[in-house]
Amino acid sequence: MPSRYGRFISIDLSSGGVERFDVDPADLKLYLGGGGIGAKLFIDGNDDEALVIANGLLTGFPVPTACKTSLLFRSPLTGVLGESSVGGKF
């Protein structure tokens, strides 16, 4: 079964356009986990209104407290990059 980690989808809610892309494997090794690769994608995307949802390396495995999904966004008030994470099955 091929790995699905590193495959992302960009959805433009204004136009309904969908773009699928793979992230460079070197970036996946450098920015581990949902928060790391999510921040890289967010900053590289140059879209202040984006919402990046990225799962962690162990999402889907029965590893207590390690199955996280990160949501990254830019605060409209301060302009600071923020992150929230959720655990469990998603």
Side-chain angles (χ1 to χ4, degrees):
M1 174 183 273
S3 171
R4 288 182 177 46
Y5 190 70
R7 294 182 183 177
F8 288 87
I9 298 174
S10 175
I11 302 171
D12 184 338
L13 297 178
S14 299
S15 68
V18 176
E19 177 187 354
R20 293 173 177 86
F21 61 96
D22 293 330
V23 176
D24 183 3
D27 285 342
L28 294 175
K29 290 180 182 179
L30 187 60
Y31 304 99
L32 290 177
I37 196 66
K40 168 95 168 104
L41 292 172
F42 190 93
I43 291 168
D44 287 352
N46 293 324
D47 184 359
D48 287 342
E49 297 179 1
L51 172 66
V52 174
I53 303 172
N55 65 300
L57 292 172
L58 299 176
T59 300
F61 290 97
V63 180
T65 72
C67 304
K68 301 289 184 187
T69 299
S70 295
L71 293 89
L72 293 102
F73 51 89
R74 185 164 311 276
S75 168
L77 180 63
T78 64
V80 174
L81 180 63
E83 177 186 4
S84 181
S85 62
V86 296
K89 294 182 180 180
F90 179 60

